[in-house]
Amino acid sequence: MALTVLAILIFGVQDAVSKILVQDYSPFQVVMLRYWAFAIFSLFLALRQGPLRQALKSRFPLLQTLRGMLLIADIWMFGTAVRTVPLAELQAISLVYPLIVTIIAVPILGERVGLFRIGAVLVGFAGALVILRPGGLPIDAGVLFALGSAAAYAVYIVLTRRVALFDSTSTSMLFAGLVGFVLSTAIGVFFWKPMTPGAMGLMAVLMVTMILAHGMMMKALSLAPASLLQPFNYLALPWGITLSFLAFGHLIDPISLVGAGIIAVAGLVVMARERRRAVHPIGAVQVPGPHE
């Protein structure tokens, strides 16, 4: 649990650093450099498990490739959203992903969802509408990208559950890292802009802390059940609110804070219900992505 909390705190700092960088550099460039580090990390993990060719063997290569594409789409959209959306509100919107997972797990995984969880999902989305209410967070391109990021990540999680029935974690990590590396580089090079020494320093911090946080999260998942650790992800919300104020002087308004609380409670209720019904908890086979 301690490792999970530390990882979440580091991931929050990464989001703040990313917000600083994307003010002057394209999100595609920033994501490309982050994926270089992520690809190295996934290769390292795969090689620790055995020969690389073994990690590349998958029962579902097309699904694994699609997972990688969805994850890079998630990171691209998140990087674009963080440019204009305050960190606090962005974290709140991002936390709707477990609710989306609950919905799409029905047709893709064949999971059964009762009225209780459906009600919790509807309440959670009502919380998002509170944040996006008239006079609240402006519904601009940044907000739409934030919602798109949450949706892409939710589909990624569901597909991860699917392939985890047959493929190893190292295979899933390697596919996500390599597919993201290829796509982010193929597009990122066209948005390249020379970086100042200060920006290069921030980028280095971003890459090192990403590897460190992912290592902590992977270690935590090896020591405790995912169902126990997953609720700690909601610490990202108060931490995002704190960082938003300390780093950018933005304080979330009280009504939006209520909406964020509704989303968090609804997500926790869904997780608790899944655990009680002894089905796969949300994120139980989750492979961490570069921005979590």
Side-chain angles (χ1 to χ4, degrees), residues 98-275:
L99 308 177
I100 302 175
V101 167
T102 301
I103 296 173
I104 61 178
V106 175
I108 296 179
L109 299 179
E111 292 188 3
R112 298 172 61 183
V113 178
L115 292 177
F116 188 89
R117 279 195 288 168
I118 292 175
V121 168
L122 293 176
V123 169
F125 285 125
L129 292 177
V130 170
I131 297 175
L132 302 175
R133 71 196 182 280
L137 191 65
I139 304 179
D140 56 10
V143 170
L144 296 178
F145 278 121
L147 292 170
S149 172
Y153 188 63
V155 181
Y156 163 81
I157 290 296
V158 172
L159 291 184
T160 299
R161 288 184 181 183
R162 176 64 177 166
V163 298
L165 297 174
F166 300 95
D167 291 347
S168 66
T169 300
S170 60
T171 296
S172 293
M173 281 288 291
L174 188 59
F175 266 87
L178 293 181
V179 171
F181 169 77
V182 172
L183 292 179
S184 64
T185 302
I187 294 179
V189 292
F190 294 103
F191 293 87
W192 180 262
K193 174 183 174 182
M195 305 184 78
T196 65
M200 291 176 64
L202 287 176
M203 196 67 238
V205 169
L206 206 60
M207 296 167 78
V208 171
T209 54
M210 186 208 69
I211 293 176
L212 180 63
H214 275 82
M216 288 181 175
M217 188 65 77
M218 296 293 288
K219 183 63 177 178
L221 288 169
S222 72
L223 296 173
S227 58
L228 173 65
L229 301 180
Q230 181 69 8
F232 285 95
N233 284 333
Y234 282 88
L235 290 174
L237 182 55
W239 183 230
I241 292 172
T242 302
L243 286 175
S244 186
F245 176 72
L246 293 177
F248 307 102
H250 172 78
L251 190 61
I252 188 171
D253 67 89
I255 298 179
S256 293
L257 183 59
V258 171
I262 292 173
I263 295 172
V265 170
L268 290 171
V269 167
V270 168
M271 289 178 191
R273 190 69 172 181
E274 286 198 339
R275 189 175 183 181

Side-chain angles (χ1 to χ4, degrees), residues 22 25-34 72 75-77 79-80 83 145 183-185 187-192:
V22 296
Y25 302 93
S26 168
F28 292 104
Q29 178 179 349
V30 174
V31 171
M32 176 182 68
L33 295 175
R34 291 185 68 175
I72 187 63
I75 308 304
W76 274 332
M77 287 188 283
T80 303
R83 174 179 278 178
F145 278 121
L183 292 179
S184 64
T185 302
I187 294 179
V189 292
F190 294 103
F191 293 87
W192 180 262

Side-chain angles (χ1 to χ4, degrees), residues 44-63:
F44 171 75
L45 287 180
L47 290 172
R48 286 190 62 187
Q49 301 297 321
L52 190 60
R53 63 179 180 275
Q54 183 67 31
L56 287 171
K57 290 182 179 179
S58 170
R59 289 279 300 275
F60 301 100
L62 292 180
L63 282 183

